[in-house]
Amino acid sequence: MAVLLLVAGCGTSVVQSQTGVSGGAKKRVLAFAGKQGPMLLQVSGEPFREGKGETAAVSAKILSGVYPEVPDGFTLNPAVAGAPQYRFRIAFDPPVSTSAEGVCSANAQKPLGYDRRGDRQSLYMVFCRQDVAIAGVVARSDRMTTLADPNYRNLLLQAAHEMFQADSNDNGSLGILEFDPVPRIKLNPLEGIF
């Protein structure tokens, strides 16, 4: 209860983004990817005065050690990543209409837009396999201007812990069946993803 009051007092909220993958399945895919080596971390947006590069480096350091499924931690270098098709993407201040799939599929040709609003800050953290969103959260807090603000570490850790939690609609499903544009199953129960 004290933690909830503390979170409410600083104006922070963390909400899971629906991806169609259950909590248990999310962790199984994370474990599969984590066994391959360091997890790739990518950051978009410029939320802090230190810049995107430093934001990515500090975020990787904070997240390394959070997940036992990722024993080698996080890296910013795709050449060092164990399986670079699996990655965490952190988007700062994307438009409200942004989806987890949109964060995963953003690239140089199709960049994310940004919507900075005064005293509030949003962070969209998504675990992706290429352009497929496996797990994601949207975190909102009072605006921070520097990575030295301890509230950033707390916000990132809250987001990381919430991302792989089961929700009330958790039916144990590992696959997502899609019919548009062609039928396909995104997740393979035997090997994680194909």
Side-chain angles (χ1 to χ4, degrees):
M1 187 67 144
V3 171
L4 289 175
L5 289 173
L6 179 63
V7 168
C10 66
T12 300
S13 68
V14 179
V15 178
Q16 275 193 21
S17 177
Q18 296 302 315
T19 62
V21 183
S22 72
K26 293 173 193 177
K27 283 200 168 194
R28 287 194 298 277
V29 176
L30 180 66
F32 173 81
K35 287 179 187 172
Q36 312 306 312
M39 183 74 64
L40 182 62
L41 177 74
Q42 299 172 321
V43 169
S44 56
E46 297 272 347
F48 303 108
R49 65 177 173 230
E50 292 91 346
K52 184 166 52 175
E54 186 64 19
T55 299
V58 167
S59 300
K61 187 174 181 179
I62 291 169
L63 290 173
S64 289
V66 169
Y67 300 113
E69 296 89 354
V70 186
D72 296 326
F74 287 79
T75 181
L76 307 179
N77 184 347
V80 175
Q85 70 271 27
Y86 295 95
R87 66 196 188 282
F88 274 59
R89 298 206 64 196
I90 302 174
F92 290 93
D93 297 315
V96 174
S97 62
T98 302
S99 67
E101 297 278 337
V103 172
C104 289
S105 64
N107 57 40
Q109 292 76 33
K110 190 173 80 174
L112 280 174
Y114 296 95
D115 185 13
R116 290 181 68 99
R117 293 186 183 221
D119 60 349
R120 296 295 289 165
Q121 179 172 23
S122 65
L123 171 152
Y124 210 142
M125 186 162 67
V126 186
F127 173 47
C128 310
R129 194 261 182 200
Q130 295 175 340
D131 64 350
V132 176
I134 297 166
V137 292
V138 178
R140 292 185 175 86
S141 70
D142 295 331
R143 178 137 328 261
M144 296 166 256
T145 58
T146 177
L147 289 164
D149 188 328
N151 290 324
Y152 177 61
R153 177 182 178 80
N154 294 337
L155 180 68
L156 195 59
L157 290 174
Q158 285 178 46
H161 289 299
E162 180 63 28
M163 195 153 70
F164 292 93
Q165 297 301 312
D167 64 23
S168 59
N169 298 321
D170 194 342
N171 61 9
S173 171
L174 184 60
I176 304 172
L177 186 60
E178 282 195 344
F179 293 96
D180 185 30
V182 293
R184 67 183 176 130
I185 296 177
K186 293 182 182 179
L187 302 181
N188 179 341
L190 301 176
E191 296 186 28
I193 302 220
F194 63 82

